[in-house]
Amino acid sequence: MADKIKDAKIIFVVGGPGSGKGTQCEKVVAKYGYTHLSSGDLLRAEVASGSERGKQLQAIMQKGELVPLDTVLDMIKDAMIAKADVSKGFLIDGYPREVKQGEEFEKKIGAPALLLYVDAKSETMVKRLMKRGETSGRADDNEETIKKRLDLYYKATEPVITFYEGRGIVRKINSELAVDDVFAEVSKAIDGLK
């Protein structure tokens, strides 16, 4: 089964909370026929399905522990294989969070053709998340928590970006711009893959 995805186009999408990467992923799916896979969504869906794996995951998450890397990779791989026949490529969203995750992904699944680094100034991300917090009621959308999340995000992400910059596959996308202008930059990066 795994050989179905060995030549697949894989794009890692990295961006902080409030960077607007979710919106950009939706636009890529619509224009290019890629499949958007977010490890967080996959985990939540697995738990909601009530499967054996879902029950184990729920227990881990309830303890506040991190789900083992192997499990996350297996889920991403299963999802890719399931969509292999109908997908033009894969957007792997919010992954890898550290260099080791990227290396394991490549061993188990394949190498990314591109890493889209969707980046906005931290003030912008804070503003966007505060605004979202007004309507979402999400407990983690208050200013202090947001700043903490951004700090953690930058600390974790910098080594990943540096690692893939060494391969020349990072395209930094300035998401301060209007949504369509940001997407023009994203499209340029994807069109350059052919």
Side-chain angles (χ1 to χ4, degrees):
M1 284 303 275
D3 56 340
K4 282 174 81 169
I5 53 174
K6 77 171 189 318
D7 297 322
K9 272 191 190 147
I10 296 169
I11 299 178
F12 286 162
V13 185
V14 177
S19 64
K21 71 179 164 71
T23 306
Q24 294 302 320
C25 285
E26 284 166 22
K27 289 174 114 25
V28 171
V29 169
K31 180 175 177 180
Y32 293 97
Y34 274 52
T35 297
H36 175 210
L37 297 174
S38 137
S39 51
D41 290 348
L42 288 172
L43 288 169
R44 283 187 286 276
E46 188 77 44
V47 169
S49 77
S51 69
E52 207 39 60
R53 182 158 71 179
K55 290 193 185 93
Q56 290 164 348
L57 291 173
Q58 192 170 15
I60 293 168
M61 294 195 287
Q62 272 168 348
K63 280 187 241 163
E65 291 169 11
L66 287 174
V67 174
L69 181 55
D70 272 351
T71 309
V72 176
L73 282 176
D74 285 341
M75 290 173 60
I76 293 175
K77 189 174 183 175
D78 291 348
M80 285 174 74
I81 290 169
K83 290 274 198 295
D85 294 334
V86 294
S87 193
K88 299 271 195 303
F90 296 93
L91 296 172
I92 311 295
D93 178 356
Y95 190 97
R97 292 228 162 101
E98 50 192 63
V99 172
K100 183 176 159 265
Q101 291 183 344
E103 291 174 327
E104 288 299 313
F105 185 100
E106 294 188 30
K107 269 188 220 144
K108 271 195 147 176
I109 300 174
L114 194 63
L115 186 153
L116 289 177
Y117 182 29
V118 183
D119 197 38
K121 291 202 291 278
S122 59
E123 307 84 271
T124 306
M125 294 199 266
V126 169
K127 265 197 214 111
R128 287 176 182 167
L129 290 167
M130 295 286 292
K131 201 170 171 170
R132 189 177 81 182
E134 288 164 20
T135 52
S136 75
R138 272 179 60 161
D140 58 354
D141 281 345
N142 66 64
E143 192 161 356
E144 199 180 324
T145 320
I146 288 168
K147 289 197 166 132
K148 258 192 208 136
R149 272 166 68 204
L150 283 174
D151 279 348
L152 282 171
Y153 159 74
Y154 279 117
K155 276 195 194 89
T157 308
E158 271 162 26
V160 172
I161 300 299
T162 307
F163 178 74
Y164 287 104
E165 269 174 348
R167 291 198 197 167
I169 64 165
V170 174
R171 297 291 173 272
K172 195 168 179 180
I173 308 291
N174 173 11
S175 72
E176 294 283 328
L177 308 168
V179 170
D180 290 338
D181 298 335
V182 178
F183 188 58
E185 294 289 304
V186 169
S187 296
K188 223 185 291 178
I190 295 176
D191 292 341
L193 281 181
K194 298 211 160 42

